[in-house]
Amino acid sequence: MLKRISALVLAGLTALAVTSCGSGSGGTTSASSGGGDSTVTMGFSQVGAESGWRTANTKSVQESAKTAGVTLKFSDAQQKQENQIKAIRSFIQQRVDVIAFSPVVESGWDPVLKEAQNAKIPVILTDRAVDSKDTTLYKTFLGSDFIEEGKKAGQWLVEEYKDSTDKVNIVELQGTTGSAPANDRKAGFQEVIGADTKFQIVATQTGDFTRAKGKEVMEAFLKSTPDIDVLYAHNDDMGLGAIEAIEGAGKVPGKDIKIITVDAVKDGMQALADGKINFIVECSPLLGPQLMDLAKKVVKGEEVPTRVVTEETTFTQDQAKQALPSRQY
Ligand code: AHR
């Protein structure tokens, strides 16, 4: 009996140690469910807080968990894969019912996903994918088609310059190196513009999906690269940072340099409505309700589709003016 009590005390202490280890790796917070009939506990490892999109996504996940009666253990990885791996291991030790995460980069997940599988804890990928060959390591992937987003950006550009035979010099601000949206938005865009040699990407560099880095890299592009016609930024935040750099260099964003971005968060939409951005491809961060629904099904052992693609649109300047008043994020 004493042995059993000691074991229980030890288990309790281990769980406490695991929680504080999670906090050290970017902060783990626990939120109780706000009612509902379910007792599902979800461990969620978020990428970070790098952009307006990410803030909206975190809010969507946290609010939906409350509405769905899911207890959420939330961990912010501060854009570091090692923090996400630590958080996932901590969730495994805490024996959560389901783990959901948005992988900061695509590769390097197999060992920790195998640990979750061995512990019989289902995993859901949300927002970003992993490149694991073994697709049994996760139950489903909920998120956008980033290749399609890149293609939509390219298609707008092709249409915009359809009557011109001149060379079009493009600079590209990529998202976080190795992340699915950076890889796929680049590939989709390249596939479309690659059909016409007049389109040339004359400079490309990561801006890490942040406004500050977007500004810094655009300043460097403006110094090193003459005659920039177009900026393609993999998200609104980098585009907004770049606008500051362009204005700082005495040029007019949206006119001297045409700008295409991805996301359609409020600040981006405002810049589009103001004529500083020319076209935005939407990437919806409102994944929370679908995520909670999938999580409950997976925990019950119900079948779920292996891929759930988010529905998205695109915005011109006129469409942004119409959509802005009712924009949720
Ligand atoms: O994974 C989605 C991307 O991550 C968003 O487009 C970007 O803003 C965010 O940081």
Side-chain angles (χ1 to χ4, degrees), residues 50-51 53-54 127-128 146 181 185 209 235 263:
E50 73 282 5
S51 62
W53 188 100
R54 190 64 54 197
D127 163 35
R128 298 184 183 179
F146 296 134
R185 286 174 188 164
F209 280 130
N235 80 345
D263 277 355

Side-chain angles (χ1 to χ4, degrees), residues 7-246:
L8 283 174
V9 170
L10 191 67
L13 286 175
T14 312
L16 274 178
V18 163
T19 308
S20 54
C21 152
S23 304
S25 64
T28 302
T29 50
S30 217
S32 293
S33 61
D37 57 352
S38 172
T39 54
V40 169
T41 297
M42 173 190 284
F44 184 89
S45 171
Q46 180 59 290
V47 168
E50 73 282 5
S51 62
W53 188 100
R54 190 64 54 197
T55 307
N57 179 247
T58 293
K59 192 166 170 250
S60 170
V61 170
Q62 290 175 333
E63 288 181 356
S64 311
K66 267 198 188 141
T67 309
V70 169
T71 299
L72 188 69
K73 290 177 183 290
F74 182 90
S75 179
D76 173 347
Q78 297 171 348
Q79 293 243 66
K80 292 201 176 82
Q81 183 176 32
E82 75 229 44
N83 288 345
Q84 289 201 296
I85 291 174
K86 259 195 223 168
I88 292 169
R89 291 208 166 113
S90 154
F91 296 147
I92 295 171
Q93 288 183 24
Q94 293 176 65
R95 302 277 338 144
V96 297
D97 300 308
V98 56
I99 293 171
F101 80 115
S102 174
V104 61
V105 290
E106 283 191 284
S107 55
W109 297 102
D110 285 34
V112 76
L113 290 179
K114 279 200 178 107
E115 289 168 35
Q117 192 173 56
N118 290 340
K120 300 199 169 21
I121 299 177
V123 172
I124 298 176
L125 302 178
T126 175
D127 163 35
R128 298 184 183 179
V130 298
D131 64 4
S132 304
K133 298 246 166 359
D134 182 357
T135 53
T136 68
L137 292 174
Y138 52 91
K139 295 288 176 200
T140 182
F141 166 36
L142 161 69
S144 309
D145 182 337
F146 296 134
I147 295 196
E148 197 51 39
E149 290 174 352
K151 282 187 187 170
K152 287 177 188 168
Q155 281 152 3
W156 180 83
L157 193 62
V158 167
E159 181 62 23
E160 183 70 7
Y161 285 90
K162 67 173 189 292
D163 297 328
S164 165
T165 50
D166 294 346
K167 200 175 153 212
V168 180
N169 288 335
I170 304 160
V171 295
E172 180 184 35
L173 279 168
Q174 294 184 42
T176 303
T177 305
S179 69
N183 293 342
D184 293 354
R185 286 174 188 164
K186 181 171 187 54
F189 183 72
Q190 184 62 53
E191 190 185 318
V192 173
I193 62 159
D196 188 336
T197 52
K198 78 178 176 217
F199 295 110
Q200 292 292 319
I201 297 184
V202 290
T204 178
Q205 204 178 307
T206 181
D208 220 6
F209 280 130
T210 69
R211 214 175 274 214
K213 204 75 197 296
K215 181 176 181 201
E216 187 188 310
V217 177
M218 190 67 203
E219 280 167 351
F221 284 164
L222 286 160
K223 281 187 193 132
S224 66
T225 317
D227 305 329
I228 300 171
D229 300 305
V230 174
L231 162 67
Y232 169 44
H234 290 189
N235 80 345
D236 288 345
D237 279 80
M238 292 189 295
L240 291 164
I243 286 172
E244 289 177 35
I246 293 167

